[in-house]
Amino acid sequence: MKAYNTMRLSFDSRSANEAFARTAVAAFLCPLDPTVEEILDVKTAVSEAVTNAIVHGYRNSIGKVTVSASLYENKRVVIKVQDRGCGIEDVTKAREPLFTTAPEEERAGLGFAVMESLMDKLKVSSKPGKGTTITLERVIRSKEAANDSAR
Amino acid sequence: MTAKTYVNIEIQDEVFIARLYGELDHHSVQPLREEIDAMALQNRPKELILDFAGVGFMDSSGIGLVMGRYKLAQELGAELRLCGLTAGSKRVMQIAGMDKLAKF
């Protein structure tokens, strides 16, 4: 199925850009009329993925992080967060709750757990030395649908 | 674009209240935790309260902040309490099982 609207951002892997990335994605989704909760869920998941790219993908170096979002029929949103950093040796292990390679920075090791529980689908593809792409998917119910079911 | 993130610290008797404002992410939490830790180590309170009422957004960096302060509270022999959590912040905390670690 073809996306009916897309966007793509590329920015330096500086931590100051974490807020920029999640806010830009949230603004892109606004025409879908998401609930406050849905916007927060997406912002949180994007923040986790972008932070991973900055903290782990480009540890001690600055590279480019690319965030793209596509809108499909039935209010399905697909977001990709991509880096060309060090990649993940063992994706299964990295996805385990509480696993972190940066405990000294108080990284809780819960980024993937948070993304998984807030989104409908999470895909992680990574090649050591080549980089990581995280794909997040979520169907937006919209305020109208939320109001209907509350009646 | 986003409001500045900061902390206001109030100490009364042996109760230490850190009121957090803004958005908690990996970028913004580091100066906050340094400020909280320095003040708490200096004052050695019996109760450490993190007030999230002014937090409009948080990701798992907020969980890291709580886990780190939980350790600090243990070192000080103090009790850690979280208050003012909005629905969004509460959900992120619950994903992490923080409700088992500190009083909400």
Side-chain angles (χ1 to χ4, degrees):
Chain A
M1 203 188 278
K2 203 175 173 303
Y4 69 84
N5 193 14
T6 62
M7 72 89 165
R8 193 179 175 84
L9 296 171
S10 178
F11 50 88
D12 290 349
S13 61
R14 297 184 193 279
S15 60
N17 289 329
E18 291 156 6
F20 162 67
R22 63 176 179 260
T23 309
V25 173
F28 182 69
L29 301 187
C30 273
L32 299 180
D33 196 26
T35 62
V36 173
E37 191 175 283
E38 286 171 332
I39 278 286
L40 262 183
D41 287 354
V42 172
K43 278 175 85 174
T44 310
V46 169
S47 199
E48 299 295 350
V50 170
T51 303
N52 275 353
I54 292 171
V55 175
H56 302 290
Y58 294 113
R59 180 157 281 265
N60 306 323
S61 64
I62 295 290
K64 291 285 180 198
V65 180
T66 307
V67 174
S68 66
S70 306
L71 306 183
Y72 294 86
E73 292 303 317
N74 300 321
K75 299 194 172 193
R76 189 164 63 91
V77 182
V78 178
I79 301 158
K80 281 184 200 272
V81 177
Q82 190 173 42
D83 68 66
R84 301 269 176 220
C86 66
I88 304 169
E89 290 284 346
D90 186 342
V91 172
T92 312
K93 188 156 196 170
R95 288 181 68 158
E96 279 172 17
L98 302 174
F99 176 82
T100 181
T101 50
E104 72 286 353
E105 291 174 39
E106 289 190 355
R107 302 305 306 153
L110 289 162
F112 282 125
V114 168
M115 285 185 254
E116 238 169 351
S117 56
L118 297 180
M119 303 301 278
D120 296 329
K121 280 186 196 164
L122 164 70
K123 200 177 117 193
V124 185
S125 50
S126 190
K127 271 203 185 120
K130 298 271 184 201
T132 301
T133 302
I134 290 176
T135 309
L136 305 163
E137 204 178 310
R138 170 88 189 235
V139 173
I140 300 297
R141 289 176 69 221
S142 87
K143 279 183 208 145
E144 211 178 308
N147 289 341
D148 283 348
S149 61
R151 266 177 214 145
Chain B
M1 182 184 58
T2 44
K4 190 175 157 43
T5 301
Y6 62 98
V7 59
N8 267 345
I9 296 171
E10 193 186 307
I11 303 157
Q12 269 185 357
D13 301 323
E14 292 188 311
V15 182
F16 181 103
I17 308 172
R19 294 197 172 88
L20 306 159
Y21 297 93
E23 305 205 337
L24 301 184
D25 64 14
H26 153 254
H27 178 72
S28 66
V29 298
Q30 189 171 344
L32 302 193
R33 66 181 206 230
E34 284 170 3
E35 202 176 328
I36 294 169
D37 289 5
M39 288 287 277
L41 286 168
Q42 212 180 330
N43 291 280
R44 310 193 69 84
K46 286 275 164 255
E47 191 174 9
L48 210 152
I49 301 171
L50 299 178
D51 184 350
F52 286 80
V55 174
F57 170 86
M58 67 164 247
D59 63 16
S60 69
S61 309
I63 302 170
L65 181 78
V66 174
M67 284 166 78
R69 301 311 61 73
Y70 175 71
K71 265 204 255 171
L72 175 75
Q74 280 191 318
E75 279 168 28
L76 295 171
E79 191 175 358
L80 178 69
R81 207 148 60 82
L82 312 182
C83 69
L85 285 162
T86 56
S89 303
K90 205 175 247 182
R91 226 140 38 95
V92 175
M93 290 289 182
Q94 279 164 343
I95 291 168
M98 284 295 116
D99 39 341
K100 294 175 193 81
L101 206 66
K103 278 189 195 165
F104 276 26

